[in-house]
Amino acid sequence: MDTSPPLSSSLPQIQPPKVKKGVPGWAIALIVVTALLLVVGVLAALAIPAFLKVQERARKIKVAQVEAAKPPPPLDDSQQQRAIKFAEQLASDVAAEKLEAMSACVDYEAMTERVFAGGSFPSDARQGFISGMKEKKGGLLAQLAGSTMKMLRFHQRDGFPALTMRVLPTGGGVNYIDLLVKPHGDTFKVVDMFGYLFGSYSSTDARQAMVLMLEQDSSLLSKALGIQGGDRKSMDLLLISFRQMGNGDPRSVQNTYEKLPDAVKKSRPAFVANLQALQALQNEPVYSEIYAHVLEIAPTVLGKDSATDLLLVDLYSIRKDFTGVQNCIQNVLKAVGEDAYLHNLSGMAAMQAGDLKKAAESLAAAKKIEPNLVSLVDLELQVRAGNGDFAGVVTELRRFAKATGAKITPAMLGEPIYEAFKKSPEFGEWAKSVR
């Protein structure tokens, strides 16, 4: 029974933001760029006023604003426990789509200073940026709404207290983020997010989006985005590809990407946009091999870190290289900490490789961490069926149906592992009971 995404679709899928008619071009581009660069928890649909396009030197940043973006002193044990409770409450608010509560969890001043650090922007840009985030329901965390989140660990990232969260988006797949937080009275507030999938901060991606929105010459744009050899035509094509993604047209995104010079293709903004377009198209034969090739070169563009390992689960699944899948999962486990979902993914890969012993070990590891993880049902059923525990298969089918209200039928058990079970008396009795 398949109640979770296939192993080769374990990553977040494209869900372009809706763009209303009449929205200025610069605003559309900002919506699209920020949605592309983070996948989960992006700064989508920021209502940044048009005056941000005015070209003038930024005002001197006040000392208080600079301090707002600095890491806090190390947290004591009591503060760490409060930080964990903060993350758990935020996860609950995200699942319930409590947008006002989610927005209130962000320190927008500190976040803004991280976005604008080291850049030269129009004088009123900071206040406009803050206003835009606050006006957006859910603020910085808006696109997490409805996702299932779970806190995995407390640690430090670049001097900040960081809370690693597993995110299971409503559209399927998985991602991992670090919430960087600072004390705020008896609670905490988020000052930034780090996404493991592409190895980037929200603030960094938002700063790049801001740069793209300002009418600067191509050399300044190329330098700000870390692109070598980007001319005006290339920058225009890049913006076109973002608008195409915003219109839900991944084929056009991929076609536009192919028109870019090689140097620009290897830039993070262009590469990530193309990668996500291909992710949406991967099930079409003409694009599946292109997608695999892009995944192969991802380490050279994104860096050889946990983000790349998470992406490469797709590549090795496509190649049927389940040893490669297992190695990637182990690397991600080292980066994000123990997680039942990753052990479940490891078990499903083992089942596809015909390694029942490894699958059972992964199942046991996942259940030890998070026995109520809904995604475990497939692995549980397949391991029991593979071991000939047909009574156990029926018990699990009934337990799952009762716990979730899902209607399970014999037709759902289509995997080869269930062939022997379907010939058993246990199956016959169960099948009669669910008709």
Side-chain angles (χ1 to χ4, degrees), residues 52 54-59 112 114-126 203 206-214 216 224:
L52 295 190
V54 178
Q55 297 300 297
E56 52 180 276
R57 296 184 61 85
R59 296 173 183 169
T112 299
R114 289 176 66 86
V115 171
F116 285 79
S120 178
F121 293 94
S123 61
D124 292 322
R126 284 175 176 77
S203 58
R207 181 164 55 251
Q208 289 188 335
M210 291 287 291
V211 169
L212 279 170
M213 296 314 100
L214 300 173
Q216 302 183 46

Side-chain angles (χ1 to χ4, degrees), residues 382 385 413-422:
Q382 291 192 37
L413 306 178
E415 291 83 356
I417 195 74
Y418 296 117
E419 289 305 310
F421 169 61
K422 289 179 177 180

